[in-house]
């Protein structure tokens, strides 16, 4: 049995969640559900990044304690489980989960023991929105390329990590494929970063500048651990790193796949800083780093700080879970940003879910009730016209496996949709109503083939739209020998 550990990034909680993070959650959920469906042992982790200066400043702006702000907003992130129909096994909060501080302290001590931490006076340009220092050449007209704000000039003594020591090992790990970065353009981006020279980076902040919020540096209480160092540690702290929990060995050190999903804006942290930290601490490395591009609204990145937010819970309340999940999986490309509008989401849901999938299942169940008294018929004669449908059904699992192995959710959704389209064409080609009129024995074969296609479609759909798949299965499962009456599976949105 393959053992798979799937993780998302953990977002800052200076505000409520937005649809951009919902994309990552849904993608991770599909991977986790798919691998469970194929028989893997799976652990799916998400959580919230709470030890950030952004959170402190947001609390100050509201005039409330920082813990009150992070508790409130973290609850909104964890609360996405129900509206987005998520199956995460663990949710870690970095400010309040006792596992996290223990794990971060252990990570620090291991890197210090390896000789990779040292004190240094530093001056640099710091973007609070990104929680990172920038070189002047990395700015766009003197502003943060992501937030459009002018970074602060910061001068203080911090602890630094010897990233420069790990340039060659990182290059070899990535070029050999031991750390797989997808898509290839992001892999090339990371290799270019390494080729350009890796500089040691600051891994602490003064207590004064952090406003006293964060995990104190072991042995140096005047400093707190830098938020990105802190946050990246969640992948192992959630497994009991630094304690006697067996989870670290089971899910990190000995797992077959350790998969990180993340947005393109944080590739440097996950594909350079984090593997180097793990090498220093003597821990196993991620096997796959899967990078998605951004969602946009009117061409602008969805962002809390930019004010271009779509609340996923509110969106689900408006249009439903299936419509939101399906748009994120069916319309967002593997490479390139995707522009969100409600009109696009509603059009996709009406065309695919209400008009395509829902209509198909409703027609098939109605035909079986009309011509077979609701009892699923057994095939009586072969049908030479069934080849296309049978091919779509039988090949869908392999095509979905291949698409998700390539981190291509849209292609996986397309494989599902070929079953729907083939089944609808099969109905129009075989015309069951005419077969019934002429009492052709082929009718039972046709309806049996369609019923089988609907059940197989529900099986393969379950990682993508779990609730919808369960409704289709119930609609196509006899009760006391008969199928339940046909009922609409998806609303038509307006």
């Amino acid at each position: 049995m393959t053992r798979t550990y799937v993780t998302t990034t953990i977002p800052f909680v200076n505000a409520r969640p937005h649809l951009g993070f919902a994309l990552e959650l849904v993608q991770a959920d599909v991977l986790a559900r798919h691998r469970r469906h194929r028989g893997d042992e799976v652990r799916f982790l998400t959580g919230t990044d709470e030890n950030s200066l952004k959170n402190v400043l947001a609390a100050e702006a509201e005039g409330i304690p920082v813990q009150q702000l992070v508790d409130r907003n973290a609850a909104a992130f964890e609360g996405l489980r129900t509206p987005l129909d998520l199956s995460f096994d663990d949710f870690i909060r970095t400010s309040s989960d006792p596992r996290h501080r223990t794990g971060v302290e252990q990570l620090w001590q291991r890197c210090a023991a390896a000789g990779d931490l040292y004190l240094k006076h530093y001056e640099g340009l710091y973007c609070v929105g990104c929680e990172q220092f920038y070189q002047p050449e990395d700015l766009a007209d003197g502003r943060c390329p992501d937030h459009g704000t002018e970074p602060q000039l910061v001068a203080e003594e911090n602890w630094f990590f010897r990233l420069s020591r790990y340039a060659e090992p990182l290059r070899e790990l990535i070029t050999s494929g031991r750390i797989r970065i997808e898509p290839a353009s992001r892999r090339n981006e990371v290799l270019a970063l390494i080729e350009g020279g890796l500089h040691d980076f600051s891994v602490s902040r003064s207590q004064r500048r952090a406003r006293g919020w964060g995990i104190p540096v072991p042995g140096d209480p005047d400093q707190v651990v830098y938020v990105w160092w802190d946050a990246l540690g969640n992948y192992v702290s959630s497994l009991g790193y630094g304690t006697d929990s067996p989870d670290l060995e089971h899910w990190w050190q000995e797992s077959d796949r350790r998969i990180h999903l993340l947005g393109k804006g944080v590739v440097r942290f996950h594909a350079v800083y984090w593997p180097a930290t793990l090498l220093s601490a003597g821990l196993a490395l991620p096997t796959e780093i899967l990078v998605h591009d951004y969602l946009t609204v009117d061409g602008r990145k969805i962002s809390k700080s930019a004010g271009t937010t779509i609340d996923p819970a509110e969106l689900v309340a408006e249009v439903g879970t299936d419509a939101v999940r399906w748009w994120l999986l069916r319309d967002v490309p593997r490479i390139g940003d995707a522009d969100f509008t409600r009109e696009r989401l509603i059009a996709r849901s009406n065309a695919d879910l209400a008009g395509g999938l829902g209509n198909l299942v409703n027609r098939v169940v109605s035909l079986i009730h009309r011509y077979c008294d609701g009892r699923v018929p057994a095939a009586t004669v072969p049908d030479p016209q069934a080849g296309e449908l049978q091919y779509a059904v039988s090949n869908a699992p392999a095509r979905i496996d291949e698409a998700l192995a390539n981190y291509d959710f849209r292609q996986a959704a397309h494989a599902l949709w070929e079953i729907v389209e083939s089944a609808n064409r099969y109905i129009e080609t075989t015309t069951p109503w005419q077969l019934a009129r002429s009492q052709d024995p082929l009718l039972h074969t046709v309806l049996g083939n369609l019923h089988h296609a609907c059940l197989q479609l529900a099986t393969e759909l379950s990682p993508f739209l779990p609730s919808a798949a369960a409704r289709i299965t119930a609609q196509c499962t006899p009760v006391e020998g008969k199928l339940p009456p046909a009922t609409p599976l998806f609303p038509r949105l307006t």
Side-chain angles (χ1 to χ4, degrees):
M1 178 186 294
T2 301
R3 191 177 301 156
T4 302
Y5 182 40
V6 179
T7 73
T8 70
T9 55
I10 55 172
F12 296 132
V13 290
N14 55 310
R16 288 177 58 84
H18 61 66
L19 192 62
F21 185 59
L23 168 65
E24 189 172 306
L25 283 170
V26 170
Q27 289 181 341
D29 186 65
V30 170
L31 289 181
R33 288 180 183 273
H34 174 70
R35 294 320 313 167
R36 292 189 195 109
H37 184 55
R38 294 292 189 255
D40 284 10
E41 185 183 7
V42 176
R43 185 182 182 94
F44 170 20
L45 169 72
T46 188
T48 45
D49 182 359
E50 302 176 13
N51 295 326
S52 165
L53 181 57
K54 290 178 72 168
N55 301 332
V56 175
L57 297 178
E60 288 179 354
E62 287 194 39
I64 61 175
V66 183
Q67 195 66 59
Q68 180 181 336
L69 178 128
V70 299
D71 287 348
R72 181 193 70 198
N73 290 340
F77 279 90
E78 189 168 9
L80 291 176
R81 174 191 284 277
T82 298
L84 292 178
D85 209 350
L86 303 172
S87 64
F88 53 81
D89 301 290
D90 194 4
F91 189 97
I92 188 164
R93 293 188 50 197
T94 61
S95 76
S96 58
D97 193 319
R99 295 176 298 174
H100 186 64
R101 177 166 178 169
T102 299
V104 169
E105 290 174 341
Q106 176 72 1
L107 197 63
W108 185 279
Q109 290 160 355
R110 291 287 293 271
C111 292
D116 285 331
L117 298 178
Y118 64 94
L119 276 170
K120 174 184 171 184
H121 181 80
Y122 184 76
E123 293 185 5
L125 298 169
Y126 191 75
C127 172
V128 175
C130 297
E131 291 279 17
Q132 75 173 94
F133 284 100
Y134 278 98
Q135 298 296 323
E137 60 269 21
D138 294 330
L139 300 174
D141 296 323
R143 294 178 177 272
C144 167
D146 217 23
H147 294 91
T149 55
E150 292 186 6
Q152 304 170 359
L153 179 63
V154 172
E156 63 182 19
E157 187 174 67
N158 296 147
W159 288 91
F160 274 69
F161 176 78
R162 296 187 194 278
L163 182 65
S164 55
R165 176 181 287 181
Y166 293 97
E168 285 305 317
L170 288 173
R171 180 187 290 109
E172 191 279 329
L173 287 164
I174 294 166
T175 55
S176 69
R178 286 178 58 198
I179 297 179
R180 177 188 172 205
I181 302 173
E182 292 288 346
S185 58
R186 298 300 167 198
R187 173 181 177 273
N188 294 337
E189 174 187 329
V190 173
L191 289 173
L193 282 172
I194 297 170
E195 201 64 38
L198 295 183
H199 304 287
D200 297 353
F201 67 99
S202 171
V203 291
S204 74
R205 302 289 180 263
S206 68
Q207 283 276 9
R208 178 188 56 79
R209 189 154 67 86
R211 311 287 214 278
W213 182 255
I215 297 174
V217 167
D220 188 352
D222 292 333
Q223 299 265 315
V224 299
V225 178
Y226 171 44
V227 65
W228 269 105
W229 175 282
D230 171 328
L232 289 166
N234 91 94
Y235 302 126
V236 293
S237 68
S238 62
L239 301 174
Y241 183 54
T243 73
D244 57 1
S245 169
D247 287 343
L248 182 77
E249 288 297 317
H250 188 82
W251 290 108
W252 189 262
Q253 297 294 91
E254 297 177 356
S255 64
D256 301 284
R257 301 178 69 188
R258 295 172 292 277
I259 304 172
H260 293 330
L261 279 83
L262 52 129
K264 65 181 180 181
V266 296
V267 172
R268 177 195 301 264
F269 299 101
H270 288 80
V272 179
Y273 293 1
W274 177 231
T277 301
L278 292 168
L279 287 170
S280 176
L283 292 170
L285 302 167
T287 59
E288 292 147 84
I289 296 174
L290 307 179
V291 185
H292 61 81
D293 288 338
Y294 291 146
L295 293 185
T296 60
V297 175
D298 297 326
R300 298 173 62 202
K301 175 192 170 188
I302 291 180
S303 164
K304 297 188 290 287
S305 55
T308 52
T309 59
I310 304 291
D311 188 306
E314 292 178 2
L315 184 63
V316 166
E318 180 184 339
V319 301
T321 300
D322 295 323
V324 172
R325 282 182 68 113
W326 190 244
W327 185 84
L328 292 171
L329 297 166
R330 181 87 153 112
D331 277 28
V332 175
R334 180 172 181 263
I335 299 173
D337 295 343
D339 201 53
F340 170 82
T341 68
R342 280 176 171 77
E343 291 77 13
R344 287 178 183 146
L345 182 150
I346 288 170
R348 175 60 74 187
S349 179
N350 286 341
D352 281 8
L353 301 184
L357 176 57
N359 183 54
L360 168 65
V361 176
N362 192 276
R363 290 177 82 185
V364 171
V365 173
S366 295
L367 288 168
I368 292 173
H369 272 280
R370 183 178 305 160
Y371 300 126
C372 301
D373 192 31
R375 299 181 184 278
V376 179
T380 53
V381 294
D383 179 12
Q385 301 178 94
E388 178 194 348
L389 176 59
Q390 291 170 345
Y391 180 85
V393 170
S394 63
N395 279 270
R399 293 187 59 197
I400 291 168
D401 288 352
E402 181 181 6
L404 293 183
N406 290 323
Y407 188 45
D408 193 335
F409 296 91
R410 188 155 69 170
Q411 194 61 36
H414 181 68
L416 285 165
W417 217 247
E418 288 201 348
I419 301 178
V420 177
E421 292 176 336
S422 295
N424 279 321
R425 283 194 294 269
Y426 184 61
I427 293 174
E428 298 305 320
T429 300
T430 57
T431 58
W433 46 92
Q434 292 185 10
L435 296 175
R437 193 175 301 124
S438 62
Q439 297 185 337
D440 191 324
L442 185 62
L443 174 66
H444 285 183
T445 300
V446 168
L447 294 182
N449 287 340
L450 287 167
H451 177 262
H452 174 71
C454 288
L455 276 179
Q456 291 303 110
L457 182 59
T459 297
E460 294 303 322
L461 182 69
S462 60
F464 302 84
L465 299 180
S467 295
R471 295 197 303 274
I472 294 169
T473 299
Q475 186 85 93
C476 294
T477 301
V479 178
E480 297 182 353
K482 289 187 177 184
L483 295 182
T487 56
L489 292 170
F490 303 97
R492 183 165 289 278
L493 304 176
T494 58

